[in-house]
DNA sequence: TTCCGGTGCC
DNA sequence: GGCACTGGAA
């Protein structure tokens, strides 16, 4: 039990963020954008998604056989890696509509964060997403160090959640991390206007 | 550790 | 012109 982390999570859950904040109206759109957003500004992801949808690519089958996939997703960057990952994901979803975490992780270009994003937001499975925002906020609050692995951090956070947490709680918690990360906890800015500042200043427990 | 990468902000 | 952006692979 980490008192400081527990308090921070309680605080974040008080935000009452929208559990359905992740843009996209289908499993295809949500899961595809999870690939596209890897280390990339969301603004660029939207451009890539619009290119796909404007070209009539709105299903795994169409994406799999689209010869211009690289061109369409170009604005999202890393387009060679991401187009390969998208095709791999399309193949998996076409054969298995509800893939497991292990199946997702076996795809080249799908790591733990992308897998958890797809499971939580596209398939409504109870997984916690650990992203750059989550990590940065917890580092600046002196709750973790850089050495903390993805799985360690995920386990740590799940251990502080209310006993009967559900999928929407996980979505709202991650949404709150993203919100704080985007608005206050920038990489190069200070913490003095952050709503979590009080927690940061509190000593480690 | 380094590479993949276009976009927007400073 | 420099750098950050909801990562992942080798």
């Amino acid at each position: 039990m980490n008192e400081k982390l527990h308090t921070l999570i309680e605080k974040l859950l008080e935000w009452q963020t929208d559990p359905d904040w992740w843009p996209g109206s289908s499993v295809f759109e949500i899961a595809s954008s999870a690939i596209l957003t890897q280390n990339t500004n969301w603004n660029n992801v939207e451009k890539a998604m619009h290119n796909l949808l404007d070209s009539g690519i709105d299903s795994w089958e169409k994406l799999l056989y689209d010869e211009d996939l690289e061109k369409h997703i170009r604005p999202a960057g890393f387009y060679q890696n991401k187009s390969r990952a998208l095709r791999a994901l399309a193949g998996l979803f076409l054969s298995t509509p509800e893939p497991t975490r292990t199946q997702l992780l076996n795809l080249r270009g799908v790591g733990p964060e992308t897998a958890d994003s797809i499971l939580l937001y596209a398939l409504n499975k109870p997984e916690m997403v650990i992203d750059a925002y989550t990590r940065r906020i917890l580092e600046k609050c002196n709750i973790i160090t850089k050495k903390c692995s993805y799985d360690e951090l995920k386990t740590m956070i799940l251990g502080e959640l209310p006993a009967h947490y559900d999928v929407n709680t996980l979505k709202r918690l991650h949404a709150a991390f993203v919100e704080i990360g985007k608005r206050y906890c920038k990489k190069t800015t200070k913490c003095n206007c952050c709503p979590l500042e009080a927690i940061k200043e509190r000593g480690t427990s």
Side-chain angles (χ1 to χ4, degrees):
Chain A
M1 172 81 148
N2 184 324
E3 198 66 45
K4 204 167 167 184
L5 177 58
H6 191 81
T7 306
L8 184 140
I9 288 174
E10 278 185 338
K11 200 85 176 162
L12 289 171
L13 286 175
E14 287 174 11
W15 247 267
Q16 296 297 335
T17 48
D18 178 13
D20 296 315
W21 64 281
W22 190 293
S25 53
S26 65
V27 171
F28 169 78
E29 286 182 45
I30 296 172
S32 298
S33 58
I35 299 280
L36 293 173
T37 198
Q38 291 170 357
N39 204 34
T40 298
N41 191 297
W42 187 264
N43 188 38
N44 294 348
V45 176
E46 284 193 314
K47 290 184 176 177
M49 277 306 297
H50 281 138
N51 286 345
L52 286 176
L53 297 177
D54 288 347
S55 303
I57 301 168
D58 57 0
S59 70
W60 296 118
E61 187 163 8
K62 290 178 185 171
L63 183 146
L64 190 55
Y65 300 110
D66 176 31
E67 294 177 357
D68 295 324
L69 184 57
E70 287 82 356
K71 193 178 72 182
H72 290 134
I73 69 167
R74 199 179 171 81
F78 305 118
Y79 55 89
Q80 297 195 31
N81 292 337
K82 289 179 180 177
S83 57
R84 184 176 53 190
L86 282 171
R87 287 198 175 93
L89 192 61
L92 177 59
F93 267 106
L94 284 172
S95 66
T96 313
E98 291 215 354
T100 63
R101 191 169 193 270
T102 303
Q103 287 177 309
L104 289 167
L105 288 175
N106 281 336
L107 303 180
R108 185 180 304 267
V110 177
E113 181 183 337
T114 305
D116 286 335
S117 297
I118 292 172
L119 289 166
L120 180 61
Y121 290 104
L123 300 177
N124 289 304
K125 303 296 181 188
E127 300 286 352
M128 179 64 198
V129 178
I130 308 298
D131 59 20
Y133 291 141
T134 309
R135 190 171 282 280
R136 190 165 69 217
I137 289 167
L138 294 183
E139 282 177 15
K140 285 201 177 187
C141 288
N142 298 315
I143 292 174
I144 62 166
T145 64
K146 291 188 193 305
K147 286 178 288 188
C148 191
S149 75
Y150 185 96
D151 290 330
E152 282 173 346
L153 184 45
K154 183 176 173 181
T155 302
M156 197 184 302
I157 288 180
L158 290 178
E160 303 299 338
L161 286 176
H164 302 294
Y165 67 83
D166 56 6
V167 169
N168 277 353
T169 300
L170 297 170
K171 289 184 178 179
R172 291 200 294 105
L173 179 58
H174 177 235
F177 271 117
V178 173
E179 190 69 15
I180 294 295
K182 272 178 145 168
R183 288 168 54 179
Y184 302 100
C185 194
K186 298 293 220 180
K187 197 165 189 174
T188 53
T189 54
K190 295 181 181 178
C191 303
N192 46 18
C193 61
C194 177
L196 302 178
E197 188 188 6
I199 295 175
K200 180 189 179 204
E201 297 311 322
R202 191 173 308 174
T204 49
S205 55

